[in-house]
Amino acid sequence: FKNMLTAKLITEEQYLQFLSDEYNLVYHSSRYNDELDKISCDYYTDHEAMMLTYSKGCCLAFALDIYIKSITGGDKSFDSVLKLLLEKNNYCTTGRPYTYNELERVFSDVLGTAHFPVYRKLHGKDFIQQFKKILLEAGYSFNEKKGRLLYFGILNLSPPGGPEKILSIDRESPAYTSGLRAGDVLLE
């Protein structure tokens, strides 16, 4: 969506609405506190992880772009991270993806040691708190939506024809509070 905004195919308002929707997916997820690398490891086996990898990644990139611009006076951005990743390991020439450690080193190089902990917080268990802090410091405001889709909190179920398995659940819902979790099968 950032490229679409840059190309003026969408408005800034549409872009921010998209990011708001992605943030709310993260906020309401029962796995919101999981580190991004843990979530992405479960990408193919957990439907919620598949959605969350993308949503949390979008929000992380947006927040880091704002943060990097603020600490460098606009001299660097999230694009600087991507360019440095390509310089250090271009898949087209090496034939291999970059490793987690290579990614960490690039973020450390761009952010510097004093600001690297912000990346770690966004990447890990403090995502929501750090995301809010960066956006508020940049002058953005937002409201977390309470209650979504089905009022009792089950966000989606498995496809028809099989047992009704909960694929994801709103962590602020009555269903979650009563003990239902993603992966549970509804018998009645």
Side-chain angles (χ1 to χ4, degrees), residues 92-111:
C92 294
T93 56
T94 66
R96 70 170 187 81
Y98 52 85
T99 66
Y100 179 77
N101 288 335
E102 289 169 331
L103 179 65
E104 294 264 303
R105 279 193 296 277
V106 166
F107 274 110
S108 182
D109 289 349
V110 172
L111 290 167

Side-chain angles (χ1 to χ4, degrees), residues 118-132:
V118 170
Y119 162 74
R120 294 298 306 142
K121 287 179 181 178
L122 278 170
H123 188 271
K125 295 183 185 304
D126 297 323
F127 169 79
I128 289 177
Q129 176 186 0
Q130 193 64 45
F131 183 82
K132 285 182 190 178

Side-chain angles (χ1 to χ4, degrees), residues 143-169:
N143 294 318
E144 290 149 346
K145 296 177 186 173
K146 302 269 183 191
R148 300 179 31 220
L149 302 179
L150 303 178
Y151 76 96
F152 49 88
I154 296 174
L155 302 181
N156 52 42
L157 298 168
S158 56
E164 297 293 331
K165 183 176 180 181
I166 299 171
L167 298 177
S168 63
I169 191 165

Side-chain angles (χ1 to χ4, degrees), residues 19-179:
L19 287 167
S20 174
D21 293 344
E22 296 305 315
Y23 171 79
N24 275 297
L25 283 172
V26 174
Y27 180 79
H28 288 280
S29 169
S30 59
R31 295 190 66 181
Y32 76 100
N33 230 1
D34 288 358
E35 291 196 10
L36 193 53
D37 57 331
K38 167 64 175 132
I39 296 166
S40 63
C41 286
D42 296 338
Y43 185 87
Y44 293 106
T45 58
D46 179 346
H47 177 26
E48 187 175 10
M50 184 183 291
M51 292 186 327
L52 200 54
T53 298
Y54 178 77
S55 298
K56 200 168 190 179
C58 288
C59 293
L60 181 137
F62 177 68
L64 282 173
D65 190 50
I66 291 170
Y67 187 72
I68 292 167
K69 287 175 182 175
S70 75
I71 64 171
T72 64
D75 291 338
K76 293 181 182 178
S77 68
F78 191 74
D79 290 342
S80 305
V81 171
L82 299 177
K83 288 175 187 173
L84 190 54
L85 270 174
L86 280 174
E87 286 173 16
K88 294 196 178 258
N89 181 36
N90 186 337
Y91 180 79
C92 294
T93 56
T94 66
R96 70 170 187 81
Y98 52 85
T99 66
Y100 179 77
N101 288 335
E102 289 169 331
L103 179 65
E104 294 264 303
R105 279 193 296 277
V106 166
F107 274 110
S108 182
D109 289 349
V110 172
L111 290 167
T113 54
H115 298 282
F116 183 71
V118 170
Y119 162 74
R120 294 298 306 142
K121 287 179 181 178
L122 278 170
H123 188 271
K125 295 183 185 304
D126 297 323
F127 169 79
I128 289 177
Q129 176 186 0
Q130 193 64 45
F131 183 82
K132 285 182 190 178
K133 182 179 178 192
I134 290 171
L135 266 62
L136 291 172
E137 287 175 359
Y140 290 93
S141 63
F142 57 94
N143 294 318
E144 290 149 346
K145 296 177 186 173
K146 302 269 183 191
R148 300 179 31 220
L149 302 179
L150 303 178
Y151 76 96
F152 49 88
I154 296 174
L155 302 181
N156 52 42
L157 298 168
S158 56
E164 297 293 331
K165 183 176 180 181
I166 299 171
L167 298 177
S168 63
I169 191 165
D170 184 334
R171 69 179 177 86
E172 290 193 343
S173 69
Y176 188 85
T177 303
S178 70

